[in-house]
Amino acid sequence: ARYPNYASLAAFDRDWRKSRRNVLQVLCADAVYAVAYRAPSAGDSQTATCDVGGGTGYACQCYINRFQPLGPEAAASCRLYLYDDGAPEWAGCLKDARTHRRWSAWDPASQAWAPLDGPPPRPEGVYAGIGSTRLHPDFGDAAIRALMAPV
């Protein structure tokens, strides 16, 4: 698995301060629900293998690393869900028609996102909800509201 490669401890500390809450949440969570953008691979260690951008991607990768084939926990226990809220007009996000503006689940066997036919299972038990600081109100925000709506 890849983690960001920092030129200085100060750069690492700056990013760690921004993402540590998410990382600590996912290390204890049974399931993770992320609403964020997918990042195009830069071909370097700056992009997490799961290709989710920013600190959310770092936290998602920490969760993924808990499960086989990367970690000791059973792959079948991995419950990582992503709503891809990347803005189509922004060049900084990966534009994958299979996942854009819909829910996907991480498949530990293929180490890739698998688009879901609908929303993921409703959160219950110990879960982490993480994501970008800016979401599209008609898509990212709406996906969270629909997921959390009373049944």
Side-chain angles (χ1 to χ4, degrees), residues 29-107:
D30 296 326
V32 175
Y33 297 79
V35 180
Y37 66 94
R38 291 185 60 199
S41 176
D44 61 16
S45 61
Q46 295 296 323
T47 306
T49 303
C50 66
D51 70 25
V52 175
T56 304
Y58 190 83
C60 286
Q61 191 64 54
C62 287
Y63 181 78
I64 289 167
N65 290 353
R66 290 173 40 188
F67 302 96
Q68 297 169 348
L70 302 174
E73 297 181 50
S77 297
C78 181
R79 296 187 298 151
L80 173 59
Y81 305 102
L82 170 71
Y83 185 87
D84 179 0
D85 192 43
E89 63 279 0
W90 183 45
C93 68
L94 176 68
K95 293 158 186 78
D96 182 345
R98 297 175 324 109
T99 63
H100 189 244
R101 297 217 162 129
R102 65 183 299 180
W103 285 103
S104 298
W106 184 256
D107 177 17

